[in-house]
Amino acid sequence: MNYQIAIDGPSSTGKSSTATRLAKKLSFIYIDTGAMYRAVGLYCKRNNININDEEEVKKVLNKIKIDLYYENGKQEIKLNNEKVSDAIRENEISKYASIVSTYKSVRDKLVRMQRRLAKTNSVIMDGRDIGTVVLPKATLKVYLIAEDEIRAKRRLKELLDKGQTVTYEQILKELKERDYRDIHRENSPLKKAKDAIEIDTSYLSLDEVTEKIYKLFKEKVGNEK
Ligand code: DC
């Protein structure tokens, strides 16, 4: 039997860090759907595609091949056979990903891929629309939130650790803009699924969040797993 855990929520609420830990603990496959939108954004940036024009983006979608795979227990991503796991994390790509993810054509392509990946494995998938659209029948749905200022500080640390040049004010402003775009877009906007359990991660450690979700999962499936 395959299980599905859906983790949604705004950026820097701890989705991918907890999903990675939980996937290890449960021996599930972790699927970072944001990485896929970032890969589309990266392709558009590198090829000077006008991302504000859906038709322009739509035209190049069939030229974009994305592969998610595991290397030494870590999820990596290839864009047209080139490993781009680090390149998609550049701060500028967050904005590109958020803009291209508003387009139906982009979402249709990536959601199809995501559902295919979830068919053959037990998965933990994180994103914005996993519980509402991609895996509406997921075994467990979790919605993570955290205070804006705390999220901005987490993101700032992550980017500074990677050697990127950013300021707290810039990050907080960009984070709010991205939230607005993700929440107000017409296609699969970010929202909590009716049956999702909300966890505020503002004052919890990654281990505490992971443990909470692990317990919720165990409660759901009883002794099955
Ligand atoms: O999780 P992230 O920051 O890597 O995601 C980058 C962008 O991709 C985010 O601004 C919204 C979009 N996204 C989405 O629309 N749907 C998903 N399932 C995952 C990400």
Side-chain angles (χ1 to χ4, degrees), residues 86-110:
D86 290 334
I88 58 163
R89 299 289 157 205
E90 299 223 346
N91 191 38
E92 214 190 338
I93 300 303
S94 302
K95 186 172 169 192
Y96 275 73
S98 174
I99 293 174
V100 297
S101 73
T102 62
Y103 300 142
K104 185 174 182 304
S105 50
V106 174
R107 305 202 70 84
D108 285 351
K109 177 183 166 102
L110 298 188

PDB file of all heavy atoms in Angstrom, residues 86-110:
ATOM      1  N   ASP A  86      21.582  23.571  -7.309  1.00  0.00           N
ATOM      2  CA  ASP A  86      22.024  24.812  -6.656  1.00  0.00           C
ATOM      3  C   ASP A  86      21.507  26.038  -7.411  1.00  0.00           C
ATOM      4  O   ASP A  86      21.063  27.008  -6.793  1.00  0.00           O
ATOM      5  CB  ASP A  86      23.567  24.871  -6.603  1.00  0.00           C
ATOM      6  CG  ASP A  86      24.104  23.844  -5.624  1.00  0.00           C
ATOM      7  OD1 ASP A  86      23.354  23.486  -4.682  1.00  0.00           O
ATOM      8  OD2 ASP A  86      25.242  23.371  -5.808  1.00  0.00           O
ATOM      9  N   ALA A  87      21.557  25.972  -8.733  1.00  0.00           N
ATOM     10  CA  ALA A  87      21.160  27.138  -9.545  1.00  0.00           C
ATOM     11  C   ALA A  87      19.719  27.564  -9.270  1.00  0.00           C
ATOM     12  O   ALA A  87      19.408  28.761  -9.242  1.00  0.00           O
ATOM     13  CB  ALA A  87      21.352  26.827 -11.027  1.00  0.00           C
ATOM     14  N   ILE A  88      18.825  26.591  -9.027  1.00  0.00           N
ATOM     15  CA  ILE A  88      17.410  26.965  -8.802  1.00  0.00           C
ATOM     16  C   ILE A  88      17.195  27.632  -7.446  1.00  0.00           C
ATOM     17  O   ILE A  88      16.143  28.199  -7.203  1.00  0.00           O
ATOM     18  CB  ILE A  88      16.450  25.749  -8.905  1.00  0.00           C
ATOM     19  CG1 ILE A  88      16.828  24.664  -7.890  1.00  0.00           C
ATOM     20  CG2 ILE A  88      16.373  25.209 -10.321  1.00  0.00           C
ATOM     21  CD1 ILE A  88      15.728  23.648  -7.649  1.00  0.00           C
ATOM     22  N   ARG A  89      18.189  27.572  -6.570  1.00  0.00           N
ATOM     23  CA  ARG A  89      18.052  28.160  -5.222  1.00  0.00           C
ATOM     24  C   ARG A  89      18.481  29.617  -5.168  1.00  0.00           C
ATOM     25  O   ARG A  89      18.440  30.237  -4.108  1.00  0.00           O
ATOM     26  CB  ARG A  89      18.864  27.366  -4.187  1.00  0.00           C
ATOM     27  CG  ARG A  89      18.435  25.939  -4.043  1.00  0.00           C
ATOM     28  CD  ARG A  89      17.094  25.800  -3.351  1.00  0.00           C
ATOM     29  NE  ARG A  89      16.492  24.511  -3.706  1.00  0.00           N
ATOM     30  CZ  ARG A  89      15.206  24.260  -3.694  1.00  0.00           C
ATOM     31  NH1 ARG A  89      14.345  25.188  -3.343  1.00  0.00           N
ATOM     32  NH2 ARG A  89      14.744  23.087  -4.042  1.00  0.00           N
ATOM     33  N   GLU A  90      18.969  30.162  -6.282  1.00  0.00           N
ATOM     34  CA  GLU A  90      19.364  31.571  -6.264  1.00  0.00           C
ATOM     35  C   GLU A  90      18.128  32.416  -5.979  1.00  0.00           C
ATOM     36  O   GLU A  90      17.026  32.117  -6.470  1.00  0.00           O
ATOM     37  CB  GLU A  90      19.953  31.958  -7.627  1.00  0.00           C
ATOM     38  CG  GLU A  90      21.174  31.129  -7.888  1.00  0.00           C
ATOM     39  CD  GLU A  90      22.318  31.910  -8.456  1.00  0.00           C
ATOM     40  OE1 GLU A  90      22.089  33.034  -8.900  1.00  0.00           O
ATOM     41  OE2 GLU A  90      23.420  31.362  -8.456  1.00  0.00           O
ATOM     42  N   ASN A  91      18.337  33.451  -5.200  1.00  0.00           N
ATOM     43  CA  ASN A  91      17.195  34.239  -4.741  1.00  0.00           C
ATOM     44  C   ASN A  91      16.321  34.734  -5.892  1.00  0.00           C
ATOM     45  O   ASN A  91      15.097  34.711  -5.824  1.00  0.00           O
ATOM     46  CB  ASN A  91      17.686  35.407  -3.888  1.00  0.00           C
ATOM     47  CG  ASN A  91      16.541  36.090  -3.183  1.00  0.00           C
ATOM     48  OD1 ASN A  91      15.609  35.418  -2.741  1.00  0.00           O
ATOM     49  ND2 ASN A  91      16.569  37.403  -3.121  1.00  0.00           N
ATOM     50  N   GLU A  92      16.936  35.159  -6.975  1.00  0.00           N
ATOM     51  CA  GLU A  92      16.179  35.720  -8.101  1.00  0.00           C
ATOM     52  C   GLU A  92      15.202  34.692  -8.694  1.00  0.00           C
ATOM     53  O   GLU A  92      14.151  35.059  -9.217  1.00  0.00           O
ATOM     54  CB  GLU A  92      17.183  36.166  -9.160  1.00  0.00           C
ATOM     55  CG  GLU A  92      16.731  37.387  -9.895  1.00  0.00           C
ATOM     56  CD  GLU A  92      17.614  37.667 -11.089  1.00  0.00           C
ATOM     57  OE1 GLU A  92      18.759  37.193 -11.109  1.00  0.00           O
ATOM     58  OE2 GLU A  92      17.118  38.349 -11.995  1.00  0.00           O
ATOM     59  N   ILE A  93      15.567  33.430  -8.621  1.00  0.00           N
ATOM     60  CA  ILE A  93      14.730  32.389  -9.224  1.00  0.00           C
ATOM     61  C   ILE A  93      13.411  32.196  -8.459  1.00  0.00           C
ATOM     62  O   ILE A  93      12.422  31.740  -9.020  1.00  0.00           O
ATOM     63  CB  ILE A  93      15.527  31.054  -9.335  1.00  0.00           C
ATOM     64  CG1 ILE A  93      16.770  31.256 -10.214  1.00  0.00           C
ATOM     65  CG2 ILE A  93      14.680  29.927  -9.926  1.00  0.00           C
ATOM     66  CD1 ILE A  93      16.469  31.780 -11.624  1.00  0.00           C
ATOM     67  N   SER A  94      13.390  32.591  -7.192  1.00  0.00           N
ATOM     68  CA  SER A  94      12.141  32.480  -6.411  1.00  0.00           C
ATOM     69  C   SER A  94      11.035  33.276  -7.096  1.00  0.00           C
ATOM     70  O   SER A  94       9.899  32.826  -7.206  1.00  0.00           O
ATOM     71  CB  SER A  94      12.341  33.049  -5.001  1.00  0.00           C
ATOM     72  OG  SER A  94      13.377  32.390  -4.344  1.00  0.00           O
ATOM     73  N   LYS A  95      11.393  34.468  -7.552  1.00  0.00           N
ATOM     74  CA  LYS A  95      10.406  35.327  -8.195  1.00  0.00           C
ATOM     75  C   LYS A  95       9.978  34.734  -9.545  1.00  0.00           C
ATOM     76  O   LYS A  95       8.793  34.717  -9.876  1.00  0.00           O
ATOM     77  CB  LYS A  95      11.002  36.722  -8.384  1.00  0.00           C
ATOM     78  CG  LYS A  95      10.024  37.720  -8.898  1.00  0.00           C
ATOM     79  CD  LYS A  95      10.598  39.101  -8.875  1.00  0.00           C
ATOM     80  CE  LYS A  95       9.683  40.023  -9.651  1.00  0.00           C
ATOM     81  NZ  LYS A  95      10.326  41.307  -9.906  1.00  0.00           N
ATOM     82  N   TYR A  96      10.943  34.253 -10.292  1.00  0.00           N
ATOM     83  CA  TYR A  96      10.626  33.623 -11.583  1.00  0.00           C
ATOM     84  C   TYR A  96       9.661  32.451 -11.378  1.00  0.00           C
ATOM     85  O   TYR A  96       8.685  32.288 -12.101  1.00  0.00           O
ATOM     86  CB  TYR A  96      11.909  33.117 -12.263  1.00  0.00           C
ATOM     87  CG  TYR A  96      12.622  34.169 -13.074  1.00  0.00           C
ATOM     88  CD1 TYR A  96      13.330  35.197 -12.454  1.00  0.00           C
ATOM     89  CD2 TYR A  96      12.592  34.144 -14.462  1.00  0.00           C
ATOM     90  CE1 TYR A  96      13.982  36.159 -13.186  1.00  0.00           C
ATOM     91  CE2 TYR A  96      13.242  35.107 -15.212  1.00  0.00           C
ATOM     92  CZ  TYR A  96      13.935  36.115 -14.577  1.00  0.00           C
ATOM     93  OH  TYR A  96      14.570  37.070 -15.311  1.00  0.00           O
ATOM     94  N   ALA A  97       9.964  31.623 -10.372  1.00  0.00           N
ATOM     95  CA  ALA A  97       9.136  30.434 -10.111  1.00  0.00           C
ATOM     96  C   ALA A  97       7.724  30.859  -9.717  1.00  0.00           C
ATOM     97  O   ALA A  97       6.736  30.283 -10.195  1.00  0.00           O
ATOM     98  CB  ALA A  97       9.759  29.608  -8.993  1.00  0.00           C
ATOM     99  N   SER A  98       7.638  31.880  -8.882  1.00  0.00           N
ATOM    100  CA  SER A  98       6.334  32.326  -8.412  1.00  0.00           C
ATOM    101  C   SER A  98       5.502  32.872  -9.577  1.00  0.00           C
ATOM    102  O   SER A  98       4.290  32.653  -9.641  1.00  0.00           O
ATOM    103  CB  SER A  98       6.548  33.392  -7.330  1.00  0.00           C
ATOM    104  OG  SER A  98       5.352  33.961  -6.943  1.00  0.00           O
ATOM    105  N   ILE A  99       6.145  33.541 -10.523  1.00  0.00           N
ATOM    106  CA  ILE A  99       5.394  34.090 -11.674  1.00  0.00           C
ATOM    107  C   ILE A  99       4.971  32.978 -12.639  1.00  0.00           C
ATOM    108  O   ILE A  99       3.806  32.872 -13.006  1.00  0.00           O
ATOM    109  CB  ILE A  99       6.212  35.196 -12.384  1.00  0.00           C
ATOM    110  CG1 ILE A  99       6.343  36.410 -11.444  1.00  0.00           C
ATOM    111  CG2 ILE A  99       5.542  35.611 -13.703  1.00  0.00           C
ATOM    112  CD1 ILE A  99       7.227  37.525 -11.941  1.00  0.00           C
ATOM    113  N   VAL A 100       5.907  32.098 -13.021  1.00  0.00           N
ATOM    114  CA  VAL A 100       5.506  31.056 -13.991  1.00  0.00           C
ATOM    115  C   VAL A 100       4.498  30.085 -13.382  1.00  0.00           C
ATOM    116  O   VAL A 100       3.699  29.484 -14.109  1.00  0.00           O
ATOM    117  CB  VAL A 100       6.705  30.270 -14.597  1.00  0.00           C
ATOM    118  CG1 VAL A 100       7.623  31.176 -15.387  1.00  0.00           C
ATOM    119  CG2 VAL A 100       7.476  29.487 -13.537  1.00  0.00           C
ATOM    120  N   SER A 101       4.503  29.967 -12.041  1.00  0.00           N
ATOM    121  CA  SER A 101       3.575  29.025 -11.409  1.00  0.00           C
ATOM    122  C   SER A 101       2.130  29.535 -11.416  1.00  0.00           C
ATOM    123  O   SER A 101       1.218  28.807 -11.050  1.00  0.00           O
ATOM    124  CB  SER A 101       4.011  28.721  -9.970  1.00  0.00           C
ATOM    125  OG  SER A 101       3.763  29.835  -9.128  1.00  0.00           O
ATOM    126  N   THR A 102       1.921  30.774 -11.833  1.00  0.00           N
ATOM    127  CA  THR A 102       0.540  31.269 -11.922  1.00  0.00           C
ATOM    128  C   THR A 102      -0.140  30.773 -13.208  1.00  0.00           C
ATOM    129  O   THR A 102      -1.355  30.870 -13.330  1.00  0.00           O
ATOM    130  CB  THR A 102       0.479  32.825 -11.916  1.00  0.00           C
ATOM    131  OG1 THR A 102       1.179  33.320 -13.060  1.00  0.00           O
ATOM    132  CG2 THR A 102       1.098  33.417 -10.666  1.00  0.00           C
ATOM    133  N   TYR A 103       0.640  30.232 -14.151  1.00  0.00           N
ATOM    134  CA  TYR A 103       0.072  29.858 -15.453  1.00  0.00           C
ATOM    135  C   TYR A 103      -0.467  28.426 -15.471  1.00  0.00           C
ATOM    136  O   TYR A 103       0.212  27.494 -15.040  1.00  0.00           O
ATOM    137  CB  TYR A 103       1.131  30.013 -16.552  1.00  0.00           C
ATOM    138  CG  TYR A 103       1.647  31.430 -16.664  1.00  0.00           C
ATOM    139  CD1 TYR A 103       2.984  31.689 -16.937  1.00  0.00           C
ATOM    140  CD2 TYR A 103       0.786  32.510 -16.483  1.00  0.00           C
ATOM    141  CE1 TYR A 103       3.461  32.990 -17.032  1.00  0.00           C
ATOM    142  CE2 TYR A 103       1.254  33.812 -16.572  1.00  0.00           C
ATOM    143  CZ  TYR A 103       2.588  34.040 -16.843  1.00  0.00           C
ATOM    144  OH  TYR A 103       3.047  35.337 -16.919  1.00  0.00           O
ATOM    145  N   LYS A 104      -1.662  28.284 -16.028  1.00  0.00           N
ATOM    146  CA  LYS A 104      -2.318  26.972 -16.075  1.00  0.00           C
ATOM    147  C   LYS A 104      -1.491  25.969 -16.876  1.00  0.00           C
ATOM    148  O   LYS A 104      -1.360  24.813 -16.503  1.00  0.00           O
ATOM    149  CB  LYS A 104      -3.718  27.127 -16.686  1.00  0.00           C
ATOM    150  CG  LYS A 104      -4.519  25.856 -16.660  1.00  0.00           C
ATOM    151  CD  LYS A 104      -5.941  26.068 -17.134  1.00  0.00           C
ATOM    152  CE  LYS A 104      -6.750  24.772 -17.059  1.00  0.00           C
ATOM    153  NZ  LYS A 104      -6.172  23.667 -17.789  1.00  0.00           N
ATOM    154  N   SER A 105      -0.933  26.433 -17.989  1.00  0.00           N
ATOM    155  CA  SER A 105      -0.155  25.514 -18.852  1.00  0.00           C
ATOM    156  C   SER A 105       1.027  24.924 -18.082  1.00  0.00           C
ATOM    157  O   SER A 105       1.336  23.741 -18.196  1.00  0.00           O
ATOM    158  CB  SER A 105       0.336  26.262 -20.094  1.00  0.00           C
ATOM    159  OG  SER A 105       0.974  27.466 -19.721  1.00  0.00           O
ATOM    160  N   VAL A 106       1.668  25.749 -17.277  1.00  0.00           N
ATOM    161  CA  VAL A 106       2.824  25.281 -16.491  1.00  0.00           C
ATOM    162  C   VAL A 106       2.348  24.303 -15.427  1.00  0.00           C
ATOM    163  O   VAL A 106       2.903  23.213 -15.250  1.00  0.00           O
ATOM    164  CB  VAL A 106       3.554  26.484 -15.825  1.00  0.00           C
ATOM    165  CG1 VAL A 106       4.651  26.010 -14.887  1.00  0.00           C
ATOM    166  CG2 VAL A 106       4.118  27.424 -16.887  1.00  0.00           C
ATOM    167  N   ARG A 107       1.279  24.662 -14.735  1.00  0.00           N
ATOM    168  CA  ARG A 107       0.778  23.804 -13.651  1.00  0.00           C
ATOM    169  C   ARG A 107       0.313  22.460 -14.198  1.00  0.00           C
ATOM    170  O   ARG A 107       0.581  21.424 -13.611  1.00  0.00           O
ATOM    171  CB  ARG A 107      -0.360  24.487 -12.886  1.00  0.00           C
ATOM    172  CG  ARG A 107      -0.023  25.854 -12.346  1.00  0.00           C
ATOM    173  CD  ARG A 107      -0.922  26.234 -11.196  1.00  0.00           C
ATOM    174  NE  ARG A 107      -0.627  25.421 -10.025  1.00  0.00           N
ATOM    175  CZ  ARG A 107       0.343  25.703  -9.164  1.00  0.00           C
ATOM    176  NH1 ARG A 107       1.065  26.767  -9.299  1.00  0.00           N
ATOM    177  NH2 ARG A 107       0.564  24.900  -8.148  1.00  0.00           N
ATOM    178  N   ASP A 108      -0.378  22.476 -15.339  1.00  0.00           N
ATOM    179  CA  ASP A 108      -0.872  21.214 -15.907  1.00  0.00           C
ATOM    180  C   ASP A 108       0.288  20.255 -16.149  1.00  0.00           C
ATOM    181  O   ASP A 108       0.218  19.077 -15.824  1.00  0.00           O
ATOM    182  CB  ASP A 108      -1.602  21.467 -17.238  1.00  0.00           C
ATOM    183  CG  ASP A 108      -2.988  22.076 -17.001  1.00  0.00           C
ATOM    184  OD1 ASP A 108      -3.410  22.116 -15.834  1.00  0.00           O
ATOM    185  OD2 ASP A 108      -3.616  22.510 -17.979  1.00  0.00           O
ATOM    186  N   LYS A 109       1.356  20.771 -16.718  1.00  0.00           N
ATOM    187  CA  LYS A 109       2.515  19.919 -17.039  1.00  0.00           C
ATOM    188  C   LYS A 109       3.127  19.345 -15.739  1.00  0.00           C
ATOM    189  O   LYS A 109       3.399  18.155 -15.643  1.00  0.00           O
ATOM    190  CB  LYS A 109       3.567  20.758 -17.788  1.00  0.00           C
ATOM    191  CG  LYS A 109       4.849  19.979 -18.110  1.00  0.00           C
ATOM    192  CD  LYS A 109       5.868  20.900 -18.777  1.00  0.00           C
ATOM    193  CE  LYS A 109       7.259  20.270 -18.815  1.00  0.00           C
ATOM    194  NZ  LYS A 109       7.636  19.713 -20.094  1.00  0.00           N
ATOM    195  N   LEU A 110       3.331  20.209 -14.754  1.00  0.00           N
ATOM    196  CA  LEU A 110       4.025  19.765 -13.545  1.00  0.00           C
ATOM    197  C   LEU A 110       3.139  18.896 -12.647  1.00  0.00           C
ATOM    198  O   LEU A 110       3.615  17.926 -12.063  1.00  0.00           O
ATOM    199  CB  LEU A 110       4.588  20.961 -12.779  1.00  0.00           C
ATOM    200  CG  LEU A 110       5.631  21.778 -13.558  1.00  0.00           C
ATOM    201  CD1 LEU A 110       6.278  22.818 -12.665  1.00  0.00           C
ATOM    202  CD2 LEU A 110       6.721  20.884 -14.165  1.00  0.00           C
TER     203      LEU A 110
END
